[in-house]
Amino acid sequence: MKLTGKKVAILIAPRGTEDSEFTKPKQALEAAGASVTVVGLQKGRAQTVRNDLDPVAEYAVDKTITEVSARDFDALVIPGGSVGADKLRASPDTVSFVRAFFEQEKPVAAICHAPWVLAEADVIRGRDLTSYASIRTDLVNAGANWTDEEVVVDQGLVTSRSPDDLPAFNAKLVEEVAEGKHPEQAASV
Amino acid sequence: MKLTGKKVAILIAPRGTEDSEFTKPKQALEAAGASVTVVGLQKGRAQTVRNDLDPVAEYAVDKTITEVSARDFDALVIPGGSVGADKLRASPDTVSFVRAFFEQEKPVAAICHAPWVLAEADVIRGRDLTSYASIRTDLVNAGANWTDEEVVVDQGLVTSRSPDDLPAFNAKLVEEVAEGKHPEQAASV
């Protein structure tokens, strides 16, 4: 398997993470042989949504954000959902965790509203990316080069616009994790 | 009554506007004698939420955004709710409507996540304001001077952080609407 031995963290908010943007990348990584750890803000189960608002399912949190370090992983995935991404960025521990992946030159993938967390971590100056269209202004104001494409790959940073882009997002995510460290990730920190 | 003859628009998203941030300012304005028009993105009824995610109630939309002009009103209120504010900013007609209140020097009040709509309209450069803490970075990146206070009033621009601040927010809102036009509102456009 392409990603055998690779350890990947995927973030989840207590409520409001978009279900498909959590489950589909996780499945794609596991199908490629990676070990995926669900990292939450608190112990117990986290509730996902569809279309930002409608409850879908609950998932077990494997580790809380205070129990992990970026050093434990080879890559990071941040799912969207307006409320979920807003809650993730409001957690200073989470923002530090995200920033450490950039400092350690490791691949990071963010979809839909998740790039808000990258803006909060101040790691996107001069970087090419995309997102859900509504947050374009926030990302441009944070220094990013925003483009309207199903997936944008910039030296270990993988971004997409919405659940419709998941096939392209997952394919590039697996590629970037397989490649390993990308020195350019540290250049924008 | 202090606001007799004053016409105020209040925005509502199809889903995801925070219930108390819609109902309480509307009640305060009406109690002071103002006429309040509910402006939505589409005809029919709009569904509000509590704590960003839990459905609360449905309200009739009086006018859609394409049926109104800032010239029809003396002031504007923008309620929060993460999803609601995100949907409002994604509507170009709504962003133009918000911007016109600043151009016309009229009071604008925004609470919680609603200042995202002000960032989208690019009307907050050099302005003093507050918001829900999670979006502080987006507002600072858009040029605002952000402070952590229950209500900030800057020459016709009234902002607060969360539903807990509604009493202070509503009191200042009524004051600013009573005062009428504020030339400084146009200075940041």
Side-chain angles (χ1 to χ4, degrees), chain B residues 143-157:
Chain B
N145 306 317
W146 194 95
T147 48
D148 182 17
E149 295 173 49
E150 65 176 357
V151 62
V152 175
V153 183
D154 176 0
Q155 299 285 338
L157 175 60

Side-chain angles (χ1 to χ4, degrees), chain A residues 15-16 49-54 82-83 86-87 89-90 113 116 119-120 125 132 134-135 137-138 141-142, chain B residues 15-16 49-54 82-83 86-87 89-90 113 116 119-120 125 132 134-135 137-138 141-142:
Chain A
R15 292 205 300 164
V49 294
R50 184 181 296 119
N51 296 324
D52 283 325
L53 285 170
D54 303 318
S82 298
V83 176
D86 190 63
K87 296 303 179 197
R89 76 184 300 191
H113 290 80
W116 266 334
E120 196 65 38
R125 288 179 197 282
Y132 196 68
S134 64
I135 72 168
T137 296
D138 298 335
N141 286 345
Chain B
R15 291 204 302 163
V49 294
R50 184 181 297 117
N51 297 325
D52 282 326
L53 285 171
D54 303 317
S82 299
V83 177
D86 189 64
K87 296 301 179 198
R89 77 185 299 192
H113 290 80
W116 266 335
E120 196 63 38
R125 289 178 197 280
Y132 196 68
S134 64
I135 72 169
T137 296
D138 298 335
N141 286 345

